Each structure stands twice: as structure tokens, then as C-alpha cells.
Amino acid sequence: MTTKMTKRQFLQSIGAAAGVAAVYRSMNALGLVGANTAQAATLDLSPGSGGGKSVVILGAGISGLVAAYELSKADYDCTILEATNRAGGRNLTARGGDIIREEDSRQWVGFDPEEHLYANLGPARLPHHHTTILGYCKEFGVDLEVFTNDNRAAFFHNLEGFDGKPVVARQVMTDTRGYLAELLAKAVHRTALDDVLAGEDKERLLDLLRSYGDLDVADDLYTGSDRGGYQGEQVHAGLAPGEVNDPLDFSQLLSSDFWEYKLHFSQFLDQNPTLLQPVGGMDAIVDAFEERLEHLTRYRSIVKEIRKTADGVRIVYRRRRRRGLSILDADFAICTIPAPVLKDISNDFSADTQAAIESIEFSNAVKIGFQARRRFWEEDHGIYGVISWTDQDITQIWYPPYGYQRAKGIIMGAYIWDDEPGLRYAAMSPAERLQTAIAEGEALHPGYEAEIEAGVSRAWAKVRFQRGGWPTSYQAPARLREPDGAIYFAGDQLSALPGWQEGAALAAHAAVRAINERVTATA
Amino acid sequence: MTTKMTKRQFLQSIGAAAGVAAVYRSMNALGLVGANTAQAATLDLSPGSGGGKSVVILGAGISGLVAAYELSKADYDCTILEATNRAGGRNLTARGGDIIREEDSRQWVGFDPEEHLYANLGPARLPHHHTTILGYCKEFGVDLEVFTNDNRAAFFHNLEGFDGKPVVARQVMTDTRGYLAELLAKAVHRTALDDVLAGEDKERLLDLLRSYGDLDVADDLYTGSDRGGYQGEQVHAGLAPGEVNDPLDFSQLLSSDFWEYKLHFSQFLDQNPTLLQPVGGMDAIVDAFEERLEHLTRYRSIVKEIRKTADGVRIVYRRRRRRGLSILDADFAICTIPAPVLKDISNDFSADTQAAIESIEFSNAVKIGFQARRRFWEEDHGIYGVISWTDQDITQIWYPPYGYQRAKGIIMGAYIWDDEPGLRYAAMSPAERLQTAIAEGEALHPGYEAEIEAGVSRAWAKVRFQRGGWPTSYQAPARLREPDGAIYFAGDQLSALPGWQEGAALAAHAAVRAINERVTATA
């Protein structure tokens, strides 16, 4: 029993014979379920509380996987129906040899077969406060490493400002702080704020500003700082300090769009350091769930109808390579199908449920991964990890926050979420997308095209069973937090964390908890 | 030839028979020297330019190792004299079972024997712009991972401010920005800065401030922000956003010492993200050099005299377990011995050389590593990686930026560099240091003591052949940049990057270049 297939087959045989709670206990005995659950990831439903009640889960994305995992542990009889041939949903990691399908295209991924040559085309970050999804990582023993998000060596680029030349982040940040501190110090000296600065606060504020902005001691002016780096190829002081960089022009800093959010991106709660990622690709999380739930999953099973029955739900679905339609009856359903897909599936939903589903709009997120023949961002610019910014459609370039100093690397040549540029890229053929993204990238990295040897794109709006990246609103419709008959709703679309796996997991927990309360109340 | 010892013995045998350039060529053939040198780490001296000239290198710290490595490649006949039984100098990683020696103490390290349970008691960070030392990592295939340095979940703690309670970094940073933006916006509205804000800059500055500080749209006031996190145990928005944290009191923020440098620590050039570290401990760099230079190194060889001779240098040293003194004559010497040690060694230096050496003062750096029985910082606080700050002597607590979510962890319970607290801790016995650091840590982590199961301290001022952490001045004495006869000086003490391995490597390069120019000019 040393190979994965053997273990899997073993678990499937138990599942068939004795139900999923038995499988879970067996996995526990096999050491597949981590012992350390100090971080509250699971719901801790009472063992056996499901009493064999059946739940059909629509969609094997993170929300569906979490729901099935938790319900199975509590002795619910779960079946997952998944339209595609894989679990994970938008959690998708592309590697050499993969086929990436959209409605009207198929891309073969031409990356080299190396461990560090992959692209997370869906979620890529795990914020440190997303304790639910991090808790599953811990429970399953998914190794984590840091996702860099604030990289002072990366570039800010604006077609209009600074002659269209990329500017190093450390200079933008240092100089903006310096100028703000200088202006505020000036206002304080001019006694413009005396009425709102009590007693000693005035002197203390000046001390803070001198330190915050690195102002000149003599006159509280900002004239540049070694925090912005030294002139020449060598950024640091070296053997004997040289000249620090001249400060950027304040008017140009103001008229660039850097300040819009790029300047303080890591101030956003979800982008706060520390961010983490699974070693080897985000789909390590999917793999961990799938290993535990594969025996419950029917792949290539496309839901055609969602019906309420007298004592539960009926799902009509089409299974690939089977003639006609299949039917699955269950006591409950948890529907994680993305709203843009769900709204077109035949159903018995109440009018307000259907309206709520139709009210959810999804973003046109696009990601493009390129394999570069050398890690020019590290070698030439000392850029280790994410992000450079531009006001072109590609929005961002991500340098891989893994595989540092290896021979090649996968950069994210575009990460688009705004509607219009997203639509523009979605409308292109895969080949056009790569070409266009390379042309835009040239503005940040002259000679870019010559460094690229393979590419793959993902326009989530054009993915058959997704039709978008994530809900554009942070307010999920309240109606969908309640079941419609025996049908419960989940997915990140039900949370205030759209596009985050944490939101998907929390929505799954909410649905599971609601079902379990109903079952245990009537038991 | 599959074991390390065999390879090592093989190289030693070549070294004895055919000189070090032959060893280097053999290592190249064995694949021990990395092929990728795109990042300019090495000096690229012309092969054979040393012509067998002899160089004695005093000290097997990073500077000595770099010098010996570069000289050997160019056919210089190098010998390294190292006072201790190991290479690395201040690059020291403590693991379970190690003995940590100081002048009047020996500590046995009681950490568990796990790969992720180590403490870098010397340097721990590699800034992304330290291209020389990073270049060696690349050349030697030393795997790198990110060193987190800016952690918004960590604590700021001040005995006086905020009732002595630790405050989460994200709140300190968010609220400080908010208040500064509000004050500056107010000054702008009051037309106090009209003369220095040209035309459209005024409106643009207000736009920037609203975004920078997350000001209320209606009145440009700061009343808190979701960037500071939500109330309750769940930091983020979850299923439905709750209440954001109340902003901290501005007067208390001003009267705390947070603003002194803690608030913008990652703005400092050397602390700029991205920072890196070798996987498995900083001494991976030492190991890589040592593997290549061991056959040139005489360990436990304490330099007693440094003499100028008619045609070079004479080093008199005492070798452990040998009677009397040993003598080594060479064409040149590179002396990397730390100034506080070097100044007391008998020598022929000119008066100004000796005065320059005596002018260098070293810091009293102290580090304390603790093994914790569980990763309470991650489990209880979502703190993944470095740093919490306090105004107590321990100065910082570092949570390990590696081994995330594993069973146990090594935290740095103190990282002290200021003179007075450093001296206080250096004067204590190892047991007292641990006890005192734990007591101080309790202010940040109530119940701290119960989490700790082993500890080790390093007071660099009390280390026999170091006598300090690093030079307190960023201006190395110019006199030591020139040789005194055939004696050249190196070490980070010769650079404007004191305490950084990059400075040590650059100083080594400078000495090597100077010797090589002298040799090739006269050849």
C-alpha cells in the first residue's frame, strides 16, 4: 500500500461498502488527515449527526469541496457533480502539457516540465488572516511559502507620466512620502493646524514627519533620501556611499495614476503582508481535497435541471459518454455553480431566488502566463517576486514569487480585472492575447519579446462553466443566504470576499451549518 | 564517488598535488561550480593571473571565504587561517546539539532535530539588491526563499503608550496614514499651501490624500478604514462585512515611539522588500564556500603576530594541539579579523594603520532564539514571519519566516543592537538572558513562558574572536582601504554596509582586485 493509486482504490472500496464516514475514519488511520487542527478550520459537526442524510453538491470548486469534506465527516452521504474533468473550479494551475479550454479555443501549455514552471491562472494568494483556508492547508499538510506582494524593486509605469518610462517602486514610495511629509511640516510651521494640534502634539508630529519622510534636519524640506536608492547600477551604499537618486518630480507623481491605489496596494486588508501560497502551485489545495473526496465525485456531469421534490431535491444531469440524462435524488443540495452559469439552468427556484441569482455580475478577469528563457527580472533588475504596475490593459506583470534564481521562470504577463480591458482581451484569440500582452510588456521591459518562449492565457468570462472571474459586488444577495426549499447556495459569490477561496470556504461552512441545524433539529 | 566525503577527499588530494586552480577546474568538471553566472558575482580575474603567488587570508568569515575563492580561481596559492573550528564567522546558524561558546560560557542548543528548527544568530536577511552575495548563492545553487520583514499582523508595543498593550501593526500603519492625510487635506482646504501647489496639483493632491489615507469622501476626515481590519476575532469581511476597528488615538500614536523608525522600517533601503534567505539556514552560504575551500583552511589557528617581511608577510599563529608557534610566510595577506580583535594582535602596522583599526567600534548585538512547543503566533494571531517591536531591551521578536504551520518553531526572542541594552544582556549568564527575554516577551504574548521549551543566546561582544556585532559607523577608515605593505584589509568593517554579508564580499573583492593589479602590473 505504498502507491497513491492503491491508497485511493482502497478508500474507494471502503466508500462503496461502508459510506463516507468510514472512509474518513480510515483516512485518519492512514494519516491522510492531519492531526493538528488547532487553527479552527473545520466546523466540528458532531460525529454521526448527518445520520446518512444525502446531500448533492453542485460543483467541485473550493466551496463544493469544503462542503463535501465537512458533511462527509459528520456522516452525510455526499455526491459531488462536477461539469468538467477536474476539481478546483477557478483554482487552476497550468503546467507544461496541460490543455486550457475556453468556449472557442483550446491551448496546449508549452512550459518546460520543471517543478517551478507553473502559472496559477486563478487565485494565487492566501492572506494571513484567511484562517479557514489556511486551516485546511495545515490540516492537510499543504506546505506554504510566502507570496511577495510589495516589491520595491518592481516598476510603476504610466504611458503619460515620466516620459512613459517605468519608475522603480522604491523611488515612487520614498519620494511621495517625502513630499507629503514636507508639505504637512510646512503647514504646521505656518501655524495652519494649531487649532487641531494640542500642546506637545505639534512638536511630536514634526518629529514623526522628519522620520516618516526623511526630511532634511535643517529646514524640514525633502530633497531626496537614501531610502530611494543610490545612483548607478549598484542600488546600495557599497564600499563607500555614492550619490542618492534625485527625487522624482512631485507634479509628475501627482499627475501619474500611481497614487490611485498602486502606491498603497499592500495597505489593503486582503493584500496585507504576510501573504502565503502553497509550494508548487495553488492546486495543491485542490489535490488535498480531491484525494479525500474523489470517491464521491462524478466528473463530466453537467447539471441540466434543479428541481424541488416533496422530500428534497432532484438533479437532472448529463454525464459524458452516457446516453440520455441521469437523475440524482437527495435530501439536500448545495449549489456552488457560479451565478452567470446557474441563471441559465432549468430550475424550480422561486422568483426572488432567480432574480437574486441574475443580479450577480462577474468580472472579466484575464491572466496570461509566459515562460521566459531566463529570469531577466532577477538578473537585470533585482526583482524577486510580484508586482509591476502599468496603466496599459495588462495592468500588472507578476514575476514568479517562487523558483528564485532557477534557470527559467513563469511570469504573469497580464492580470486584468477591469471590465473593458478584460473584455478586449477575452475577445481576442489566444495567440492575439499573447502577442498583445508582449507588446504592452515591452514598455516595461524593452526586449521582452525575445525573452519569452511560451505562453498561455485564461479569460474567465469565456470559460464554459464559469463565465467570469468573481462577483463584482462585495454585497451578496441576502436571498441566497437562505435555502430555496432544500437547496442551499454557496461559493465565494455568497460571501463578502468575492474571488477569494476563504469566501468560498466560509460560504460552504454556512450552508453546511444550516443543513446540519435543520437535520439535527428534526432528528 | 557518491558521498560528500569522497568528493571532498578527492578535491583535497588534487589540491595537494596540483594547486588550487586545478581543484577549481576539477570542481567545475564535477558540477560543483554552477554554470549560471549571469548575475555578476565574481571578479573574473584572468585565469592564471596569480601565477602561484601566495596569499594568506586571516579569518574564514564571508569576506575571507570570498577572497580565497576568487584568488584560487585565478591561480593564487591561498591559505586561510581560522581561529575557531568552523568557517562563517558571524554567519552562524544554531541547531539542536550545537555548542555555542562565549568567553565565559558554553551553551548546548536544546532544539529538536527538525530541518525547520534553527536560529540564524548572525545575519538572517539578504536584500534583493545585494547582488554580490546573491550571485554567489546562484553560482553555488543555494536555494532561496523570502524573508518576511513587514508583517501587518505583528505587534507594536510600547510600555507607556496604549496602556502598555501591544497594537497590531496594520492598525498603527493604517491610522497613522489616515491622520496624516486628514491633516494635510485640512491644510490644503485652508489654503495654507496655495503658494507651493501649482494649478491642478491642489486637486490632485487632495485626490491622492483621499486614496492614500482612505479619507471619508464627504469631508476628507479620517474616521477609520477597513484597511485596519474588522472588529472581533475574524480580521476580514467574511460572509457579510462587520464593523471596522475604531481608529487608534492620534495623540497616543504621536507619543508612542512607533514613528521613530518602526513605522517605516521597510522603507529603509536595506530592509526593502523583497528580502531573501537561504532555505534551511543562512549557513548554507558558508557550507557552499567551505565545500570549495576546506582544503585550503587551517582551523583552530589563532593569529599571534602579523609581520611585514622583505618580500611579503609572515604570520605567526598557534595551532590547537600543536606545541609552540607555527609560521606562515606569504607574498600577501588579506586580514579580515574584526577590528576589536585585530587591534590587540602583535603587528608591524604603521601608526596610522593601527590608529585606524582602533577607531572602529563594534555594536553589542545580541540575539536569543527560543524553541516554542507550538506556533502560537500563527495559530492565535495569524503572524507568519518577522517582526514585532517593543521598547523593552529585547527590541524585537521575530517569528520564523520558514517552516510555516509545522509543529514547532524557533522564534527570535530578542534582537538587540543598541549599546546599552546589548551590554546589559551581554553581562548576564545565558540562563539569565533567557529568563529576562521571556519576562519581557510576556508583555507582547501573555503566557509566553509556557510556550517556550528551549533557548540559546548569542552576545557577539562576548565572542572571543569577534568582540562585537558590526561596526557602528557607516564610514570605514580610508587608511584601511590601502594596504600596509603587503597586508590588505577586508571584512564588512571596510564597507559602507556594516553587518551585511554584501559588505564583507565587496571588501573582499576590493582587496583581491588590488592584489591582482599589483601582481599583474609587475608580472
Side-chain angles (χ1 to χ4, degrees):
Chain A
M1 279 244 315
T2 54
T3 71
K4 191 178 174 185
M5 281 314 293
T6 312
K7 199 157 61 183
R8 202 177 274 180
Q9 286 161 352
F10 171 71
L11 291 171
Q12 281 172 338
S13 69
I14 297 182
V20 290
V23 172
Y24 180 76
R25 285 190 297 270
S26 301
M27 289 169 69
N28 226 327
L30 286 169
L32 287 177
V33 181
N36 195 329
T37 52
Q39 197 158 5
T42 58
L43 286 170
D44 291 326
L45 305 184
S46 302
S49 56
K53 288 275 185 190
S54 59
V55 184
V56 56
I57 291 142
L58 307 183
I62 293 297
S63 205
L65 294 170
V66 167
Y69 177 67
E70 293 297 340
L71 287 168
S72 296
K73 285 200 296 182
D75 213 10
Y76 284 86
D77 178 14
C78 295
T79 306
I80 306 177
L81 298 181
E82 165 56 39
T84 74
N85 60 357
R86 53 172 282 280
R90 281 160 280 159
N91 179 323
L92 174 67
T93 303
R95 296 185 183 80
D98 287 352
I99 303 291
I100 301 296
R101 287 179 181 80
E102 294 180 13
E103 280 167 10
D104 52 5
S105 70
R106 286 173 86 246
Q107 300 173 68
W108 179 83
V109 182
F111 300 164
D112 291 353
E114 299 281 336
E115 268 189 9
H116 68 291
L117 298 180
Y118 61 86
N120 290 324
L121 295 178
R125 303 171 172 104
L126 299 172
H128 63 269
H129 46 75
H130 284 192
T131 51
T132 313
I133 196 75
L134 287 173
Y136 285 116
C137 291
K138 183 162 189 171
E139 189 172 336
F140 299 156
V142 173
D143 276 338
L144 300 177
E145 62 189 351
V146 171
F147 180 98
T148 62
N149 210 35
D150 174 14
N151 188 333
R152 306 300 168 89
F155 294 120
F156 280 22
H157 172 258
N158 192 288
L159 286 172
E160 301 293 321
F162 301 101
D163 302 324
K165 294 214 180 78
V167 191
V168 177
R170 90 164 50 80
Q171 284 188 264
V172 175
M173 293 189 183
T174 299
D175 294 341
T176 303
R177 272 182 181 245
Y179 289 124
L180 294 185
E182 174 186 310
L183 284 171
L184 185 47
K186 202 181 292 283
V188 170
H189 284 303
R190 289 175 174 185
T191 70
L193 298 165
D194 278 10
D195 58 323
V196 290
L197 289 172
E200 293 175 331
D201 283 357
K202 190 168 166 176
E203 264 318 308
R204 283 180 180 148
L205 175 60
L206 286 171
D207 282 340
L208 180 152
L209 292 171
R210 286 164 193 143
S211 181
Y212 192 84
D214 203 14
L215 301 183
D216 297 345
V217 178
D219 50 15
D220 287 346
L221 295 179
Y222 179 71
T223 56
S225 165
D226 59 5
R227 299 178 193 171
Y230 289 84
Q231 292 181 20
E233 287 211 359
Q234 177 184 278
V235 173
H236 56 72
L239 285 176
E243 294 293 312
V244 304
N245 279 317
D246 293 328
L248 301 168
D249 179 70
F250 186 48
S251 275
Q252 288 208 60
L253 279 174
L254 287 176
S255 59
S256 78
D257 71 342
F258 299 163
W259 54 267
E260 215 178 315
Y261 52 84
K262 304 166 185 183
L263 190 60
H264 47 265
F265 189 61
S266 67
Q267 288 291 115
F268 294 133
L269 188 57
D270 287 333
Q271 305 293 346
N272 254 200
T274 305
L275 291 139
L276 299 155
Q277 61 184 335
V279 174
M282 188 57 84
D283 62 357
I285 296 176
V286 177
D287 290 350
F289 275 110
E290 205 172 12
E291 187 173 5
R292 290 154 176 85
L293 299 170
E294 213 165 19
H295 59 290
L296 307 177
T297 310
R298 298 185 193 166
Y299 296 97
R300 295 177 171 132
S301 299
I302 301 169
V303 174
K304 291 294 179 185
E305 298 175 33
I306 302 172
R307 302 292 171 204
K308 301 176 197 169
T309 59
D311 45 8
V313 297
R314 164 166 291 189
I315 307 298
V316 181
Y317 64 102
R318 181 180 300 282
R319 204 158 181 185
R320 201 182 159 200
R321 290 197 183 126
R322 299 233 180 134
R323 257 184 242 154
L325 296 170
S326 302
I327 286 174
L328 185 64
D329 290 326
D331 297 316
F332 302 99
I334 295 180
C335 176
T336 74
I337 297 172
V341 177
L342 180 58
K343 70 180 170 55
D344 293 332
I345 296 176
S346 296
N347 65 60
D348 290 346
F349 296 154
S350 66
D352 55 346
T353 299
Q354 180 66 21
I357 292 166
E358 288 175 10
S359 75
I360 300 177
E361 294 193 3
F362 266 50
S363 69
N364 291 306
V366 175
K367 279 190 169 183
I368 299 179
F370 288 122
Q371 177 172 306
R373 62 186 79 248
R374 72 183 182 100
R375 299 175 80 93
F376 61 86
W377 51 94
E378 294 173 2
E379 293 171 8
D380 302 348
H381 305 290
I383 301 176
Y384 292 83
V386 180
I387 310 171
S388 280
W389 293 90
T390 174
D391 63 345
Q392 300 172 98
D393 281 359
I394 53 170
T395 315
Q396 302 187 328
I397 293 180
W398 284 17
Y399 316 94
Y402 44 81
Y404 298 116
Q405 295 197 334
R406 301 278 174 87
K408 298 183 175 186
I410 307 295
I411 59 180
M412 201 64 71
Y415 179 18
I416 308 170
W417 57 85
D418 274 353
D419 216 44
E420 285 182 31
L423 279 176
R424 274 196 289 274
Y425 264 80
M428 298 178 200
S429 73
E432 281 175 312
R433 289 176 196 159
L434 303 187
Q435 212 173 2
T436 313
I438 286 172
E440 294 186 29
E442 286 280 343
L444 284 86
H445 295 287
Y448 193 55
E449 183 166 14
E451 308 282 5
I452 306 295
E453 39 181 36
V456 63
S457 66
R458 185 67 157 177
W460 285 99
K462 299 210 62 183
V463 178
R464 188 171 168 208
F465 300 109
Q466 298 292 347
R467 294 199 193 151
W470 58 80
T472 52
S473 166
Y474 285 77
Q475 297 286 348
R479 175 63 193 89
L480 300 182
R481 294 186 198 284
E482 301 301 322
D484 191 342
I487 303 156
Y488 292 73
F489 299 92
D492 60 302
Q493 59 197 355
L494 264 285
S495 79
L497 297 168
W500 293 98
Q501 295 173 96
E502 181 77 4
L506 288 176
H509 281 196
V512 166
R513 202 180 289 114
I515 289 174
N516 195 57
E517 277 168 13
R518 191 156 148 186
V519 167
T520 50
T522 58
Chain B
M1 278 245 315
T2 54
T3 70
K4 191 176 173 184
M5 280 315 292
T6 311
K7 199 157 62 182
R8 201 176 272 180
Q9 286 160 353
F10 172 72
L11 290 171
Q12 282 173 337
S13 69
I14 297 182
V20 289
V23 171
Y24 180 75
R25 285 189 297 271
S26 301
M27 288 168 69
N28 226 328
L30 285 171
L32 287 177
V33 181
N36 194 327
T37 52
Q39 197 159 4
T42 58
L43 285 170
D44 291 327
L45 304 184
S46 301
S49 56
K53 288 276 185 188
S54 59
V55 185
V56 57
I57 291 142
L58 309 183
I62 293 297
S63 205
L65 293 170
V66 167
Y69 178 68
E70 294 297 340
L71 287 167
S72 296
K73 284 200 295 181
D75 213 10
Y76 285 86
D77 177 14
C78 295
T79 306
I80 307 177
L81 298 181
E82 166 55 40
T84 74
N85 60 355
R86 52 173 282 280
R90 279 160 283 160
N91 179 324
L92 173 67
T93 303
R95 295 184 183 80
D98 287 352
I99 302 291
I100 301 296
R101 287 180 183 78
E102 294 179 12
E103 280 167 10
D104 52 5
S105 70
R106 288 172 85 248
Q107 299 173 69
W108 179 83
V109 182
F111 299 164
D112 290 354
E114 299 281 336
E115 268 189 9
H116 68 291
L117 298 180
Y118 61 84
N120 289 324
L121 295 178
R125 302 171 171 106
L126 299 172
H128 62 269
H129 46 75
H130 284 190
T131 52
T132 313
I133 196 77
L134 286 173
Y136 285 116
C137 290
K138 183 162 188 170
E139 189 172 337
F140 299 156
V142 172
D143 277 338
L144 299 178
E145 63 189 350
V146 172
F147 180 97
T148 63
N149 210 35
D150 173 13
N151 189 332
R152 305 300 168 89
F155 294 120
F156 280 22
H157 173 258
N158 191 288
L159 286 172
E160 300 294 321
F162 300 100
D163 302 325
K165 294 212 179 79
V167 190
V168 176
R170 92 163 48 81
Q171 285 189 264
V172 174
M173 293 187 182
T174 300
D175 294 341
T176 303
R177 272 180 181 248
Y179 288 124
L180 295 184
E182 175 186 309
L183 284 170
L184 184 48
K186 203 182 292 284
V188 171
H189 284 303
R190 289 178 173 182
T191 70
L193 298 166
D194 279 9
D195 57 323
V196 291
L197 288 173
E200 292 175 332
D201 282 358
K202 190 168 164 176
E203 264 318 306
R204 283 181 179 145
L205 175 59
L206 286 171
D207 282 340
L208 180 151
L209 292 172
R210 286 165 193 142
S211 181
Y212 192 83
D214 202 15
L215 301 183
D216 296 345
V217 177
D219 50 14
D220 288 346
L221 295 180
Y222 179 71
T223 55
S225 165
D226 59 5
R227 298 178 193 170
Y230 290 83
Q231 292 180 20
E233 288 212 355
Q234 178 183 276
V235 172
H236 56 73
L239 285 176
E243 293 294 312
V244 305
N245 280 317
D246 294 327
L248 300 169
D249 179 70
F250 186 47
S251 277
Q252 287 207 59
L253 279 174
L254 287 176
S255 59
S256 77
D257 70 343
F258 299 163
W259 54 267
E260 214 179 316
Y261 51 84
K262 304 166 184 182
L263 191 60
H264 48 263
F265 189 62
S266 67
Q267 289 291 115
F268 294 133
L269 188 56
D270 289 331
Q271 305 293 345
N272 254 201
T274 306
L275 292 139
L276 299 155
Q277 61 183 336
V279 174
M282 188 56 85
D283 61 357
I285 296 176
V286 178
D287 290 351
F289 275 110
E290 205 171 13
E291 187 174 6
R292 290 155 176 85
L293 299 170
E294 214 165 19
H295 59 290
L296 307 177
T297 310
R298 298 184 193 167
Y299 295 96
R300 295 180 172 127
S301 298
I302 301 170
V303 174
K304 291 295 179 185
E305 297 175 33
I306 302 174
R307 302 292 171 203
K308 302 176 195 168
T309 60
D311 46 8
V313 297
R314 162 165 293 188
I315 308 298
V316 180
Y317 64 102
R318 181 180 299 282
R319 205 158 181 185
R320 201 183 159 199
R321 291 198 183 127
R322 300 231 180 136
R323 256 183 241 156
L325 296 171
S326 301
I327 286 175
L328 185 65
D329 290 327
D331 296 315
F332 301 99
I334 296 180
C335 176
T336 75
I337 297 171
V341 177
L342 180 59
K343 70 179 171 54
D344 293 332
I345 294 176
S346 296
N347 65 61
D348 289 346
F349 297 153
S350 67
D352 56 346
T353 300
Q354 181 66 22
I357 293 166
E358 288 175 10
S359 76
I360 300 177
E361 293 194 3
F362 267 49
S363 69
N364 291 305
V366 175
K367 279 190 169 184
I368 299 179
F370 288 122
Q371 178 172 306
R373 61 186 79 247
R374 72 183 183 100
R375 299 174 81 94
F376 61 88
W377 51 94
E378 293 174 2
E379 293 171 6
D380 302 349
H381 307 289
I383 301 176
Y384 292 83
V386 180
I387 311 171
S388 279
W389 294 89
T390 175
D391 63 345
Q392 301 172 98
D393 281 358
I394 54 170
T395 315
Q396 301 187 327
I397 294 180
W398 285 18
Y399 316 95
Y402 44 82
Y404 298 115
Q405 294 199 336
R406 302 277 174 87
K408 298 183 175 185
I410 306 294
I411 58 180
M412 202 64 72
Y415 179 19
I416 309 170
W417 57 85
D418 274 353
D419 216 45
E420 283 182 35
L423 279 176
R424 275 196 289 274
Y425 265 80
M428 297 178 201
S429 73
E432 281 174 312
R433 289 176 195 159
L434 304 188
Q435 212 172 0
T436 312
I438 287 172
E440 293 186 29
E442 286 280 344
L444 284 86
H445 294 288
Y448 193 55
E449 183 165 15
E451 307 282 6
I452 306 295
E453 40 182 34
V456 62
S457 66
R458 184 68 157 177
W460 285 99
K462 298 208 64 182
V463 177
R464 185 168 169 211
F465 299 109
Q466 299 291 349
R467 293 197 193 154
W470 57 79
T472 52
S473 166
Y474 285 78
Q475 298 285 350
R479 175 64 194 89
L480 299 182
R481 295 185 198 284
E482 301 300 322
D484 190 343
I487 303 157
Y488 292 73
F489 299 91
D492 60 301
Q493 59 198 355
L494 263 288
S495 80
L497 298 169
W500 292 98
Q501 294 174 94
E502 181 75 6
L506 288 175
H509 281 196
V512 166
R513 202 180 289 113
I515 288 174
N516 195 56
E517 279 168 13
R518 191 155 149 187
V519 167
T520 51
T522 57

